[in-house]
Amino acid sequence: MEILEIAVGPLRTNCYIVVSERKNAVVIDPGFESEKIVAKAKAAGANVEYVLLTHGHYDHICAVEGVKKAFPGCKSAVMKEDLELCRNPELAFPGVTGGIEPDMLLEDGDVIKVDELSFKFMLTPGHTKGSACIICGEKMFSGDTLFSRACGRIDLYGGSAKEMRASLKKLGGLEVDYEIFPGHGVGTTLAIERYANQYLRKSMGLEVL
């Protein structure tokens, strides 16, 4: 597995290109600047088969159609709970236009396979109704659910403090020390966040250090 990272757009959304041994790939959260994402994938010799979305906010979906156009047959996938946001991004961000129609609507636990790679969607609502963490081996693409020392905002359409606490508790209880690739900012690990992330610790009933 090869993971290529590119921060795109005004919000510096982290977009990830995950490439298999046979040079087939998925693109996770192509927020903006499709030409940069496509160029990076092609420079690696990768053929993108899927666009996988951690949630439906506009800064994670704006370049979906550009990526799909560059790779015929490529399909986009998102949790079914975020279909409304994908179609109508202005629900969360008034004035924003340019929704998308995902090709695949997924449920909690669904898996998409590309060669030797398996991408499992774990529903983690709180930031949006359909926010998900995507797990591939010991890597986790956490979208805007979990960041280094922080978690996603809960004040936008579909956000919920109660659901965010439950999702963070769920992540904190996982046995694997996943390497975390977040939707914004620097990477981290689940072990580090269990120790240093006040939001994760609170959700688990632990003392905040």
Side-chain angles (χ1 to χ4, degrees), residues 131-145:
S131 283
C133 292
I134 303 172
I135 296 173
C136 183
E138 295 189 353
K139 317 293 184 182
M140 177 186 290
F141 302 88
S142 61
D144 287 5
T145 297

Side-chain angles (χ1 to χ4, degrees), residues 53 68 76-78 82-83 86-87 100-105:
L53 304 173
K68 288 177 59 181
S76 57
V78 70
D82 266 11
L83 174 60
C86 286
R87 287 174 168 172
I100 65 166
E101 190 69 28
D103 299 300
M104 303 170 65
L105 298 179

Side-chain angles (χ1 to χ4, degrees), residues 61-138:
I61 71 170
C62 278
V64 168
E65 294 306 320
V67 173
K68 288 177 59 181
K69 183 178 180 180
F71 296 96
C74 176
K75 294 181 179 181
S76 57
V78 70
M79 297 295 288
K80 64 180 183 180
E81 290 84 353
D82 266 11
L83 174 60
E84 186 180 32
L85 269 180
C86 286
R87 287 174 168 172
N88 303 293
E90 65 273 16
L91 290 172
F93 298 92
V96 170
T97 59
I100 65 166
E101 190 69 28
D103 299 300
M104 303 170 65
L105 298 179
L106 306 180
E107 298 184 359
D108 185 30
D110 279 353
V111 175
I112 289 179
K113 294 185 177 182
V114 175
D115 298 332
E116 80 280 7
L117 304 177
S118 294
F119 298 87
K120 182 178 181 180
F121 279 69
M122 179 171 63
L123 182 64
T124 53
H127 183 60
T128 68
K129 297 176 183 178
S131 283
C133 292
I134 303 172
I135 296 173
C136 183
E138 295 189 353

